[in-house]
Amino acid sequence: MSTTRPYPPGDLGPEPGGAGASAVVPTGQIRRLRLAGTRGAVARARDFAREALNDWGWLPAATADQRAAAEDVLLVVSELVTNACLHAEGPEELRLRCAAKVLRLEVSDLGAGSPSPRSPHRPGRPGGHGMFIVQRLCLDWGVVRNADGAGKTVWAELAAPS
């Protein structure tokens, strides 16, 4: 697991340059997609994320940096949902939370395992690159176990485009 932050998962932490106040997610900036029992979960999740990015002004991208940021979000969504499909009995829900400077992706599932980047990373071999990609593209990521012990939420945070 990668998280090193001193504040709890789900809290986006202090705004850079702020006096320690937690970031506030603007009203209407959280999207949820139920995926339990869904066929084509990865494609549905990507389409859902693309629609949210359009609504939030990330797409259509005006610059190459903005386009790259949106493509990174769609790739990370694909990787997290694919991991839930392959290793955790399928995803339950995708949540997207947009704040001024950070987009947080959360995929919940009922699986018992915890994702981790394959070590050592072997770029020339097929498979096993998902969490390595997430680790490379994201500001931070981690896993939160459900309070009742059944399942978890894998989360990742990406910087908003400039």
Side-chain angles (χ1 to χ4, degrees), residues 87-141:
H87 307 294
E89 305 170 30
E92 292 289 309
E93 185 177 61
L94 168 66
R95 288 179 297 280
L96 309 174
R97 298 172 189 242
C98 187
K101 299 178 193 289
V102 175
L103 180 71
R104 182 179 176 99
L105 313 172
E106 299 177 351
V107 176
S108 60
D109 64 57
L110 298 177
S114 287
S116 63
R118 184 177 283 179
S119 184
H121 178 66
R122 297 182 180 142
R125 300 188 73 181
H129 305 289
M131 292 312 294
F132 181 78
I133 291 168
V134 170
Q135 181 177 327
R136 296 286 297 217
L137 294 178
C138 295
L139 298 170
D140 201 3
W141 71 277

Side-chain angles (χ1 to χ4, degrees), residues 43-156:
R44 287 194 63 202
R46 280 181 67 90
D47 290 345
F48 178 80
R50 187 177 292 109
E51 183 179 317
L53 293 175
N54 273 301
D55 291 348
W56 293 336
W58 288 46
L59 290 173
T63 67
D65 286 344
Q66 291 171 342
R67 187 171 29 264
E71 289 171 359
D72 288 351
V73 168
L74 297 175
L75 179 55
V76 172
V77 165
S78 295
E79 293 299 338
L80 295 180
V81 174
T82 296
N83 275 355
C85 291
L86 294 175
H87 307 294
E89 305 170 30
E92 292 289 309
E93 185 177 61
L94 168 66
R95 288 179 297 280
L96 309 174
R97 298 172 189 242
C98 187
K101 299 178 193 289
V102 175
L103 180 71
R104 182 179 176 99
L105 313 172
E106 299 177 351
V107 176
S108 60
D109 64 57
L110 298 177
S114 287
S116 63
R118 184 177 283 179
S119 184
H121 178 66
R122 297 182 180 142
R125 300 188 73 181
H129 305 289
M131 292 312 294
F132 181 78
I133 291 168
V134 170
Q135 181 177 327
R136 296 286 297 217
L137 294 178
C138 295
L139 298 170
D140 201 3
W141 71 277
V143 178
V144 178
R145 291 263 157 227
N146 292 345
D148 64 6
K152 64 188 173 296
T153 298
V154 180
W155 59 269

